[in-house]
Amino acid sequence: MKTKLYEKFVKDKTVAYWLALAAAAVMLITDIIFIATDLGDRTFSLVTFFLVLLGVIIEVVYAVLDISFLDFLPILSCTCYGVAVGNHWNLGLATLSDVWNGVIFVGGNPQAALAFGIIFLIGTIAALVSCFMKQKKNN
């Protein structure tokens, strides 16, 4: 049992495979914290939450199924992350502009907008980098 799991999930995988899974893990943990700290202001969006969750699910499905015709799934996962990051920054920049201008107009939590935006962006960049690298070693 242990040998079969090793051969399927570890043996022929490269750094890019592990980078993609690490990015998915970071995105999932951040997404859980993101929705758990949702205070109902403009900074938080269910669209962002579900797109990140969908990207994580797609990456996990790719890792578990390991079928060659599904090699496009990491790109699809990265696309979900990218749209989620864009949506988050779209909503968060109005809150950050209040801080920059010194006038409270929109409101919201600028620290959360900045923190989640940076972490989501780092996870998206890591997933994007892994898409341009080999996921499996040649046998």
Side-chain angles (χ1 to χ4, degrees):
M1 177 77 172
K2 187 176 181 181
T3 307
K4 289 180 183 179
L5 288 175
Y6 173 78
E7 288 180 8
K8 179 170 177 142
F9 294 112
V10 178
K11 185 178 178 184
D12 64 341
K13 306 305 185 214
T14 64
V15 173
Y17 175 83
W18 296 110
L19 181 63
L21 283 182
V26 167
M27 294 295 271
L28 179 63
I29 292 167
T30 306
D31 203 31
I32 291 170
I33 296 169
F34 177 77
I35 202 65
T37 58
D38 179 5
L39 301 174
D41 63 13
R42 277 186 54 87
T43 309
F44 297 93
S45 168
L46 285 176
V47 173
T48 302
F49 172 76
F50 284 119
L51 281 171
V52 170
L53 189 61
L54 180 63
V56 169
I57 290 169
I58 290 170
E59 186 61 43
V60 169
V61 165
Y62 174 72
V64 170
L65 290 183
D66 196 24
I67 300 172
S68 63
F69 73 86
L70 294 177
D71 285 344
F72 68 93
L73 287 181
I75 296 170
L76 185 61
S77 174
C78 190
T79 303
C80 290
Y81 296 156
V83 173
V85 167
N87 185 57
H88 178 74
W89 283 114
N90 183 38
L91 296 175
L93 283 178
T95 300
L96 292 174
S97 73
D98 287 351
V99 175
W100 292 327
N101 294 325
V103 177
I104 304 301
F105 182 72
V106 175
N109 187 345
Q111 294 86 5
L114 197 57
F116 286 115
I118 289 171
I119 295 171
F120 284 150
L121 186 62
I122 290 170
T124 302
I125 291 171
L128 182 64
V129 166
S130 75
C131 286
F132 291 100
M133 299 167 65
K134 281 188 163 186
Q135 298 275 333
K136 301 172 194 169
K137 295 176 185 173
N138 292 336
N139 290 331

